[in-house]
Amino acid sequence: MKGPSSGNKQPAETASKLSDEALMALISQRDQQAFSQLYLRYQPKLVKYCARVLRDDVAQAADLVDEAMFDVWRSAENFAGRSKVSTWIYSIARNKVVSWLRKTSEITLDDESILDSMIDPAASPHEELALDDMKQQLLRLMDQLTEEHREVIRLTYFEDKSVKEVANILDISDNTVKTRMFYARKRLAQLLEKAGIVGFDL
């Protein structure tokens, strides 16, 4: 796949200190170095995320991530800033995975592996250790929720996304997100209480 081949140059050490928003502004002007920095910043996280969804097929995950990142390059000037850059990139990568699954029909879209892998790839080692036990307990309980409810719970609690960001990722309205969250939290609270799990604020 042909990548960025022309544009302004930004010193690597300078670009590495820029925010995602600043990098996007430069990428929209065809700045190769800014794109390289954004790619390096997100590629490992996205490959990890996609590989989990694709049952550890790292090669396919890397291919899909490359496609997603080149979409970022091509569409940078259309990024309106209505969501975080990370949310936008995450959404593009997620759509690439879903499209690939639909095309290949190797895994159905309601496959548990897709939902079970939607854990924040950007979480720090400390955060992962601290939340690991609770996550595992929640994942087991969430098997009893509907697919729609599991997805909004995962995006809000595991990905720490806002209502608007979840709406953008799932391509649904803010009100639909809120409705699903209401019923999902109500049901999950009942399951947590029944399982005797305390200390998790819904």
Side-chain angles (χ1 to χ4, degrees), residues 26-119:
L26 291 170
I27 294 170
S28 68
Q29 299 172 20
R30 300 334 230 188
D31 188 308
Q32 294 179 59
Q33 190 60 54
F35 175 76
S36 295
Q37 183 57 46
L38 194 72
Y39 181 91
L40 291 173
R41 187 174 294 178
Y42 279 95
Q43 194 265 0
K45 305 175 194 177
L46 292 173
V47 169
K48 182 180 178 182
Y49 162 69
C50 292
R52 286 175 177 175
V53 175
L54 299 173
R55 296 177 176 176
D56 297 322
D57 188 343
V58 177
Q60 184 59 51
D63 286 345
L64 292 174
V65 169
D66 279 348
E67 289 182 18
M69 291 307 294
F70 280 116
D71 277 0
V72 170
W73 168 261
R74 288 190 292 264
S75 307
E77 61 185 12
N78 297 323
F79 177 68
R82 288 190 294 269
S83 64
K84 293 180 181 178
V85 172
S86 60
T87 299
W88 185 60
I89 294 175
Y90 178 92
S91 179
I92 292 174
R94 179 183 183 278
N95 288 338
K96 289 292 182 184
V97 172
V98 171
S99 295
W100 186 81
L101 291 173
R102 282 177 175 157
K103 182 175 65 176
T104 61
S105 298
E106 291 189 10
I107 306 176
T108 59
L109 289 182
D110 61 350
D111 193 294
E112 289 298 319
S113 65
I114 297 176
L115 297 172
D116 287 347
S117 63
M118 292 183 70
I119 298 174

